[in-house]
Amino acid sequence: MAARDQVVDADGSLPDIAPGMLFDGDDLGRWLKRQKQPGTRKQLSSRQQERLARLGIKPAPAPPAAPTAKSAAKGAPARRSKPSNAA
């Protein structure tokens, strides 16, 4: 609790902390970046997520889903086959 009080701003939120900022040997910037990742956030209990929210730490938006081969084919122009000159 005391360590948090030394890092948290007067308004109760964390300042912008870049990876590499150490506090008592812990890389706070790296920890903060991890807490913002959607996959990490889902692994936390609701209480832990609430604590992060009180500190102003919001999850980063999930990256857009990559198009699948089927959906990519939908947007591709249709190919026309050449008429065959069968005799």
Side-chain angles (χ1 to χ4, degrees), residues 33-70:
K33 184 177 180 180
R34 246 190 347 256
Q35 302 316 306
K36 292 179 179 183
Q37 295 173 349
T40 301
R41 197 63 166 241
K42 291 177 186 177
Q43 296 175 6
L44 301 176
S45 70
S46 59
R47 188 171 178 177
Q48 290 171 314
Q49 291 180 29
E50 289 170 18
R51 286 180 181 168
L52 291 175
R54 280 197 306 263
L55 290 171
I57 302 170
K58 297 178 183 170
T68 62
K70 189 174 183 179

Side-chain angles (χ1 to χ4, degrees), residues 2-86:
R4 183 197 71 195
D5 294 339
Q6 293 178 12
V7 177
V8 175
D9 283 341
D11 66 356
S13 64
L14 284 175
D16 186 30
I17 300 172
M21 180 183 174
L22 300 178
F23 183 84
D24 285 342
D26 295 319
D27 188 335
L28 294 183
R30 196 170 106 191
W31 173 86
L32 181 59
K33 184 177 180 180
R34 246 190 347 256
Q35 302 316 306
K36 292 179 179 183
Q37 295 173 349
T40 301
R41 197 63 166 241
K42 291 177 186 177
Q43 296 175 6
L44 301 176
S45 70
S46 59
R47 188 171 178 177
Q48 290 171 314
Q49 291 180 29
E50 289 170 18
R51 286 180 181 168
L52 291 175
R54 280 197 306 263
L55 290 171
I57 302 170
K58 297 178 183 170
T68 62
K70 189 174 183 179
S71 66
K74 276 186 177 179
R79 291 186 180 180
R80 294 184 180 195
S81 60
K82 293 181 181 180
S84 62
N85 293 337

